[in-house]
Amino acid sequence: MSLMLRRGVVVTRSLAPAAVFRRGYHEAVHDHFNNPRNVGSLDKEDKNVGSALVGKASCGDVIKLQVKVGKDGVIQDAKFKTFGCGSAIASSSYATEMIIGQNIDEASKITNSDISSHLKLPPVKIHCSVLAEEAIQAAIEDYKGKQSQSAAE
Amino acid sequence: MAAMALTQLARGCRPLPRLRILASRRQNGSLWNEYEERGVPSYLDMQATTPVDPRVLDAMLPYYHGKYGNPHSRSHSYGWDAEEATEQAREKVAKLINADPKEIFFTSGATESNNMAVKGVADFYEGSGKKHIVTTQTEHKCVLASCRRLEVDKGWSVTYLPVDKWGLVSLQDLENAIRDDTALVSIMHVNNEIGTMQPLEEMGQICAKRKVLFHTDAAQSVGKVPVDVKKLGVALMSISAHKMYGPKGVGALYVRRKPRVRLRAVIDGGGQERGMRSGTLATPTIVGFGAAAEVCMAEMENDHRHVEMLYKRMHDQITEQLPQITLNGSPSARYPGNVNLSFACVEGESLLMSLAKTTAVSSGSACTSASLEPSYVLRAIGVSEDLAHTSLRFGIGRFTTAGEVDKTVNDVVREVRRLRDMSPLWELELEAMKTGGQKQAVTWS
């Protein structure tokens, strides 16, 4: 068969597995997707934990974000769970990384462009970062709501 | 002395120990030359395209170097050789579908064949009072787009038949949809997304009774399941070479001669293919197409057995190890090489990304397409909104090995478990299962 190569000739292929990856997303997205930070749950009954569940399964994007806030208003811990594409998982993972250690006022000022510019999301995926921003703000709102509720009691 | 020298010489350029290579090749993915780089993903996307069978490649090569004439060159042997080769290929393709060689027209692929069928028939009947086409909601985009163009440009009316949850068209619906001014019914044989096989024989009988032309897009079925145009009663059929282990860029349209089917050519030019499709015939790819048809005829039974075995293996192993998996499409009326599974609570693109290093598959999810809409085929079979984004399509073929299937199953099970652990919807599912199947009310922020 004319295609059979002789012994000793090595054919190198340019399409290495890593190249297949790089053609899609930026390294940061792959990093957060393969090694997501802060996956999990916090106790949602805890007064110091604000929880949020945003998105729609029919749109293919649902983010659950929980924040544990200390007495001084600093976010001590954050956990997330996401049903969504690689960008959505990376956005929510990066979001938790950003807000841990921040004051809730600072955290609520985070915009989706902070997230999408760090992850270098393509234009068609920007909405994933928008959902992550909504999740952060909703979680903080929930925490504030719980605090004012317990203050009223 | 001379004998020893001869044997030494022979040993020096002895061919590679074939048995060892074949064994390792079978294990890791059957088509790779041992010198080619390992570590490429297993290919499980046979509906997108298939690898070219080595026997087909062998048949094609002489027509790229040496016998490279234009088959329409009447005056010299280069042309005569090329013409002989294309005619032989035509006979092989015709034999595969039990047609006459004069009924086969070579095109650049199934998309062109579908365009030729739909637009060609419509153009022929323009002004004759026929102004209606019947097709289905799950057709390939080329058929839907051609029908759309006829609606918009020429004012034709098109009925898009709905499908049931298995993806099958109801014969009663088809009967009711055919009107007096219907020129063409176009229904695909095997669906490319979910693998459902339509009952073409009965549909052919209905169309014959109502005297309407019956076209079928058989790109996914020819070469894989027995297709006999006389038994099916089709007037037109589209075939694609690269779905049956042939080269890309070539296909065919079967146009019945008895009773005569009349079409208007879509591509005009030098009058090749009896005026039906002008353009120089691409001899090497057509020869490849013919060789692929011949190989498919010989291997069909074995291929089908092999694919069915692997399908059962994959489906059983995945459903044993993972709960809440749905098979999309009919479980019985299907081509087994197409396995479209929905993994509840895991989004398709994220699963694809996890598998990308090791397995090449395709998804019916929105995130992989440019728009945010999930696949229209899944929507047509009534897949619920929650599951619409969670599907993956595995394609098994002649060269898929059991090792690849096992490895894929392990990877899929591992990644689905990992992604389900990360999924809030799966958390809700588990809670619901704990409280005896009652989903608790969820407060959405």
Side-chain angles (χ1 to χ4, degrees):
Chain A
M1 181 166 148
S2 43
L3 262 200
M4 276 302 222
L5 299 166
R6 289 177 171 279
R7 189 188 281 265
V9 175
V10 177
V11 177
T12 46
R13 304 273 304 233
S14 54
L15 191 71
V20 173
F21 253 139
R22 258 178 252 129
R23 199 164 298 167
Y25 291 126
H26 189 254
E27 286 298 316
V29 175
H30 287 297
D31 179 33
H32 277 278
F33 179 71
N34 292 318
N35 311 302
R37 322 342 186 194
N38 308 312
V39 176
S41 299
L42 297 169
D43 177 14
K44 62 177 187 249
E45 306 301 329
D46 187 338
K47 271 206 305 285
N48 298 319
V49 169
S51 308
L53 188 62
V54 296
K56 251 171 83 169
S58 52
C59 289
D61 253 325
V62 175
I63 299 182
K64 184 183 93 155
L65 188 69
Q66 292 178 301
V67 290
K68 188 178 175 98
V69 188
K71 288 275 172 282
D72 50 356
V74 168
I75 296 176
Q76 296 170 336
D77 197 14
K79 289 266 187 265
F80 84 96
K81 282 203 175 193
T82 298
F83 164 83
C85 59
S87 309
I89 293 175
S91 301
S92 30
S93 166
Y94 181 60
T96 56
E97 228 183 21
M98 275 178 90
I99 58 178
I100 290 181
Q102 277 194 346
N103 191 295
I104 50 175
D105 297 319
E106 284 171 42
S108 50
K109 291 209 189 68
I110 290 176
T111 61
N112 71 297
S113 27
D114 300 328
I115 302 174
S116 64
S117 55
H118 173 88
L119 295 174
K120 308 217 184 0
L121 294 178
V124 62
K125 295 291 183 188
I126 301 275
H127 66 278
C128 299
S129 58
V130 170
L131 198 64
E133 178 196 329
E134 276 178 26
I136 298 175
Q137 290 177 351
I140 294 175
E141 281 304 310
D142 183 60
Y143 167 75
K144 287 188 179 158
K146 276 185 173 168
Q147 290 295 304
S148 57
Q149 227 181 15
S150 59
E153 282 159 8
Chain B
M1 199 57 185
M4 250 176 66
L6 269 178
T7 33
Q8 270 190 352
L9 196 65
R11 231 173 254 148
C13 42
R14 174 176 65 188
L16 307 164
R18 299 200 97 80
L19 284 175
R20 251 194 300 129
I21 293 171
L22 284 175
S24 71
R25 195 189 289 171
R26 283 266 118 204
Q27 235 180 330
N28 291 315
S30 46
L31 280 187
W32 296 118
N33 184 304
E34 66 167 338
Y35 298 126
E36 282 172 296
E37 197 176 282
R38 296 264 177 238
V40 288
S42 312
Y43 187 76
L44 267 100
D45 198 12
M46 295 289 176
Q47 280 70 41
T49 188
T50 54
V52 173
D53 191 304
R55 294 165 277 195
V56 168
L57 199 55
D58 272 351
M60 285 168 69
L61 286 174
Y63 296 93
Y64 278 123
H65 66 89
K67 295 189 177 177
Y68 47 80
N70 182 325
H72 314 291
S73 301
R74 305 249 158 209
S75 47
H76 48 70
S77 62
Y78 287 92
W80 304 330
D81 281 341
E83 199 197 354
E84 194 184 327
T86 54
E87 291 315 306
Q88 278 176 1
R90 202 188 298 271
E91 277 169 26
K92 290 175 186 165
V93 173
K95 198 153 158 227
L96 179 64
I97 57 173
N98 191 19
D100 187 85
K102 291 208 196 91
E103 296 170 314
I104 305 289
F105 295 94
F106 288 118
T107 60
S108 64
T111 296
E112 193 194 317
S113 304
N114 284 332
N115 268 260
M116 208 166 129
V118 173
K119 291 176 182 162
V121 166
D123 279 351
F124 182 78
Y125 286 104
E126 197 65 48
S128 71
K130 300 262 189 195
K131 237 168 156 57
H132 181 232
I133 292 181
V134 176
T135 184
T136 69
Q137 290 177 1
T138 52
E139 287 298 304
H140 193 270
K141 282 247 177 75
C142 52
V143 173
L144 294 178
S146 304
C147 290
R148 188 91 199 108
R149 180 172 276 260
L150 289 176
E151 277 182 301
V152 167
D153 284 359
K154 306 267 175 73
W156 278 61
S157 72
V158 181
T159 302
Y160 300 93
L161 294 173
V163 291
D164 63 13
K165 66 176 178 191
W166 302 132
L168 293 166
V169 175
S170 138
L171 296 171
Q172 196 53 54
D173 281 352
L174 176 62
E175 279 248 43
N176 299 342
I178 297 179
R179 313 195 304 225
D180 291 329
D181 65 342
T182 304
L184 181 73
V185 167
S186 176
I187 299 182
M188 74 193 319
H189 192 185
V190 170
N191 187 282
N192 55 314
E193 285 210 37
I194 54 180
T196 297
M197 198 146 62
Q198 304 288 350
L200 285 194
E201 223 174 295
E202 289 86 341
M203 292 175 175
Q205 284 166 1
I206 294 176
C207 294
K209 201 169 59 179
R210 302 289 295 271
K211 303 223 188 327
V212 176
L213 292 176
F214 185 33
H215 164 249
T216 181
D217 174 5
Q220 292 286 346
S221 63
V222 170
K224 297 176 182 159
V225 296
V227 172
D228 182 334
V229 290
K230 296 195 173 51
K231 215 159 56 134
L232 296 176
V234 292
L236 296 146
M237 186 163 85
S238 308
I239 311 172
S240 173
H242 75 105
K243 304 276 166 47
M244 47 187 259
Y245 312 98
K248 295 175 186 48
V250 65
L253 181 67
Y254 158 77
V255 181
R256 189 183 62 195
R257 274 165 67 90
K258 291 192 178 71
R260 185 74 164 258
V261 172
R262 309 285 300 277
L263 287 185
R264 199 136 176 266
V266 174
I267 296 185
D268 298 315
Q272 285 83 8
E273 296 290 88
R274 299 208 296 281
M276 200 63 91
R277 199 271 183 185
S278 296
T280 299
L281 287 182
T283 314
T285 50
I286 286 173
V287 166
F289 189 6
E294 205 175 31
V295 169
C296 278
M297 265 185 80
E299 303 267 358
M300 198 177 297
E301 212 185 294
N302 191 35
D303 281 351
H304 199 265
R305 211 180 10 223
H306 177 75
V307 167
E308 179 121 35
M309 184 265 290
L310 288 181
Y311 158 67
K312 284 206 174 74
R313 193 180 177 119
M314 174 181 269
H315 185 242
D316 292 345
Q317 280 184 22
I318 290 188
T319 46
E320 267 164 21
Q321 298 180 53
L322 291 174
Q324 305 230 2
I325 306 289
T326 325
L327 177 70
N328 296 315
S330 164
S332 52
R334 64 163 33 241
Y335 171 61
N338 183 323
V339 193
N340 190 313
L341 296 171
S342 281
F343 300 89
C345 308
V346 174
E347 205 269 339
E349 205 242 22
S350 57
L351 188 51
L352 266 187
M353 233 171 108
S354 324
L355 294 174
K357 271 196 292 280
T358 55
T359 320
V361 288
S362 150
S363 158
S365 140
C367 285
T368 51
S369 68
S371 80
L372 294 177
E373 293 273 313
S375 142
Y376 63 91
V377 173
L378 291 180
R379 210 150 22 103
I381 63 173
V383 170
S384 73
E385 285 187 329
D386 308 342
L387 287 183
H389 290 267
T390 64
S391 70
L392 230 62
R393 177 189 71 185
F394 299 90
I396 302 171
R398 180 186 297 163
F399 298 110
T400 315
T401 61
E404 284 179 315
V405 165
D406 289 340
K407 190 157 148 313
T408 302
V409 166
N410 288 339
D411 289 338
V412 165
V413 167
R414 191 188 62 230
E415 293 303 326
V416 167
R417 285 190 178 140
R418 180 180 90 98
L419 288 167
R420 276 181 170 169
D421 284 339
M422 276 173 37
S423 165
L425 301 179
W426 185 244
E427 209 178 25
L428 295 172
E429 272 294 318
L430 289 177
E431 277 170 20
M433 289 200 276
K434 254 187 276 175
T435 60
Q438 284 292 95
K439 285 230 169 77
Q440 298 178 324
V442 177
T443 32
W444 291 85
S445 311

